[in-house]
Amino acid sequence: MVRGKTQMRRIENATSRQVTFSKRRNGLLKKAFELSVLCDAEVALIIFSPRGKLYEFSSSSSRETIERYQRHTKDNHAENPPDEQNMQQLKHETATMKKKIELLEISKRRLLGEGLGSCTIQELQQLEQQLERSVGIIRARKMQVFRQHIQDLKEKGKALAAENAMLSEKIGLEPQQGSNEEKATVACTENSEVSDVETELFIGPPETRNKRNSLQK
């Protein structure tokens, strides 16, 4: 008698379903035992009947095998996360970065005075305040750079003066302290010579003035 092919669907008859369960359960437990003995494999088998009764087989310890399985699964997930999950995360990060870039571009254009037509009064006020703060920071930094540059020049001047004094001492020359006094003396002498020019006021025609000068001579 040829055995017919079993259809893979739920057995409606409760008695037939229970008999089939018992037979196949025993066969599965036997196959698990044979696999563990013949191939020296660590096998753990857990079966729950339709009524909730537990049947199990383990070549060593069911708990240890389950813990080993959990560790192995956790390590695999850590090393090779699911591709679908990675793709979803990357898509979310890409969308977030795109929005941030768009907002930065809009802010940049507004700072340059472009695209202000769609701005509200509050947005314009905030933009104005932001520009004022930026200008204040820039001016403060500029003054700091100026002061630092002036301080550096002063330090260089002091260093050059000290070097000049040291060189003067080496060659036996005295520092030229009187140079300013000599310049002042020369300036006073020139001013005195210029002061000898006639400053007397004379009112009258030029001919009368010439005659008067000839008489004085």
Side-chain angles (χ1 to χ4, degrees), residues 3-216:
R3 185 177 179 181
K5 184 178 180 181
T6 304
Q7 294 181 357
M8 298 305 299
R9 64 180 183 180
R10 182 176 181 272
I11 301 174
E12 298 298 333
N13 187 278
T15 304
S16 299
R17 186 168 60 247
Q18 182 62 34
V19 172
T20 303
F21 172 77
S22 299
K23 290 181 178 180
R24 292 183 178 266
R25 178 201 63 202
N26 294 334
L28 186 59
L29 292 172
K30 180 180 179 182
K31 292 294 183 182
F33 172 74
E34 293 175 353
L35 181 63
S36 64
V37 174
L38 296 175
C39 302
D40 194 20
E42 183 177 356
V43 180
L45 177 62
I46 299 174
I47 303 173
F48 285 97
S49 68
R51 296 181 180 180
K53 187 176 180 179
L54 173 64
Y55 301 90
E56 63 177 330
F57 167 79
S58 176
S59 58
S60 57
S61 171
S62 299
R63 179 174 295 179
E64 292 178 358
T65 304
I66 293 173
E67 291 177 355
R68 181 180 177 183
Y69 167 77
Q70 291 176 344
R71 289 194 302 269
H72 182 73
T73 305
K74 184 178 180 180
D75 293 339
N76 283 343
H77 286 172
E79 294 176 0
N80 301 312
D83 294 337
E84 184 66 23
Q85 183 178 358
N86 284 343
M87 290 299 297
Q88 292 296 332
Q89 184 177 359
L90 289 174
K91 288 180 180 179
H92 178 70
E93 292 178 357
T94 302
T96 304
M97 291 299 297
K98 186 177 180 181
K99 291 181 180 179
K100 289 182 179 180
I101 292 173
E102 290 177 354
L103 292 175
L104 289 174
E105 289 292 336
I106 294 173
S107 178
K108 178 182 176 181
R109 288 196 298 270
R110 289 180 177 178
L111 289 174
L112 295 175
E114 301 174 358
L116 300 178
S118 60
C119 294
T120 62
I121 296 178
Q122 290 78 7
E123 291 176 346
L124 292 173
Q125 289 177 348
Q126 292 177 359
L127 183 61
E128 183 180 8
Q129 294 174 0
Q130 183 178 356
L131 289 172
E132 290 177 353
R133 287 193 299 268
S134 300
V135 171
I137 294 172
I138 292 171
R139 288 176 177 173
R141 176 56 184 168
K142 183 179 70 174
M143 294 302 299
Q144 182 181 0
V145 173
F146 281 166
R147 285 193 291 267
Q148 184 64 38
H149 185 62
I150 293 172
Q151 185 65 27
D152 294 341
L153 291 177
K154 289 181 179 179
E155 295 296 332
K156 289 181 180 179
K158 292 180 180 179
L160 291 174
E163 185 179 358
N164 188 20
M166 182 179 63
L167 292 174
S168 299
E169 291 178 358
K170 286 184 179 180
I171 62 177
L173 295 177
E174 295 181 357
Q176 298 180 357
Q177 298 177 354
S179 59
N180 293 332
E181 296 178 358
E182 293 176 357
K183 292 180 180 179
T185 303
V186 173
C188 291
T189 303
E190 294 177 352
N191 292 333
S192 62
E193 292 176 357
V194 174
S195 64
D196 292 338
V197 179
E198 182 182 2
T199 59
E200 184 179 358
L201 178 63
F202 179 80
I203 301 174
E207 297 178 354
T208 309
R209 181 178 180 184
N210 294 333
K211 293 179 180 180
R212 184 174 179 274
N213 290 337
S214 62
L215 290 173
Q216 289 180 356

